[in-house]
Amino acid sequence: SRVEQEYCEQLDTLEAQLLEVEADRENADQDLKKSATRCSELEAEAEGLRVQNAEADKKLKQVEEQAGVEVKELRQQLEEAQDTVKTLGLTIQKLTTEIEQYRVANARSEKALEQFLSLKCDDKEADPKEADPKHPSPKPDLQTPEALAIRNK
């Protein structure tokens, strides 16, 4: 009969649709399993990255602390070096002043020695026995042993 035939055709169509739905469901189950596996892999990878990140943070803090200590030490060394430079500058200035004072004193001593030796030479000229009219009194020689002895006193 025709109703039976239509019913059988509908039944065949429904069976075909059911097979398609079951195939789709199997494919979806397989995709779900793959997704679950991939999700587990990603979670494990994320956990590994969290551990690495925590270790990196710990190392970074250690490096920052060490760098802070080194910066403090370098600042202290810089301050000490600046103090040393300042002290050396003052010492150089003091020594320069002393050297200049010694130069002035030396120049005075040289002048006094010249005057002393000049007077001594004039005394020799005044003594007729020692005076030589052909040769006037020479300029005093500051390198004679007598002059050097007076200068070194």
Side-chain angles (χ1 to χ4, degrees), residues 47-74:
E47 184 58 31
L49 290 173
R50 280 188 210 100
V51 169
Q52 287 179 350
N53 190 31
E55 290 173 0
D57 280 345
K58 187 177 179 181
K59 286 180 183 178
L60 179 61
K61 286 179 183 177
Q62 290 173 345
V63 168
E64 286 174 343
E65 288 173 8
Q66 181 63 33
V69 168
E70 288 177 13
V71 166
K72 285 179 184 177
E73 289 173 358
L74 289 174

Side-chain angles (χ1 to χ4, degrees), residues 16-72:
Q17 286 178 349
L18 182 60
L19 289 175
E20 284 179 23
V21 168
E22 285 180 7
D24 287 345
R25 196 190 80 196
E26 277 185 38
N27 287 337
D29 283 347
Q30 287 177 0
D31 288 345
L32 183 60
K33 286 179 185 177
K34 287 179 185 177
S35 294
T37 302
R38 182 65 182 140
C39 185
S40 295
E41 291 171 355
L42 289 174
E43 285 175 351
E45 192 175 323
E47 184 58 31
L49 290 173
R50 280 188 210 100
V51 169
Q52 287 179 350
N53 190 31
E55 290 173 0
D57 280 345
K58 187 177 179 181
K59 286 180 183 178
L60 179 61
K61 286 179 183 177
Q62 290 173 345
V63 168
E64 286 174 343
E65 288 173 8
Q66 181 63 33
V69 168
E70 288 177 13
V71 166
K72 285 179 184 177

Side-chain angles (χ1 to χ4, degrees), residues 35-114:
S35 294
T37 302
R38 182 65 182 140
C39 185
S40 295
E41 291 171 355
L42 289 174
E43 285 175 351
E45 192 175 323
E47 184 58 31
L49 290 173
R50 280 188 210 100
V51 169
Q52 287 179 350
N53 190 31
E55 290 173 0
D57 280 345
K58 187 177 179 181
K59 286 180 183 178
L60 179 61
K61 286 179 183 177
Q62 290 173 345
V63 168
E64 286 174 343
E65 288 173 8
Q66 181 63 33
V69 168
E70 288 177 13
V71 166
K72 285 179 184 177
E73 289 173 358
L74 289 174
R75 280 191 181 131
Q76 184 177 356
Q77 289 175 3
L78 177 61
E79 288 174 7
E80 290 171 1
Q82 288 172 336
D83 290 346
T84 301
V85 167
K86 185 187 274 185
T87 302
L88 288 175
L90 293 173
T91 303
I92 289 170
Q93 188 177 17
K94 181 181 174 186
L95 290 174
T96 302
T97 302
E98 287 180 17
I99 289 169
E100 188 56 35
Q101 290 171 348
Y102 286 129
R103 284 184 181 150
V104 169
N106 191 34
R108 287 183 190 148
S109 295
E110 291 283 334
K111 193 168 189 174
L113 182 59
E114 282 180 22

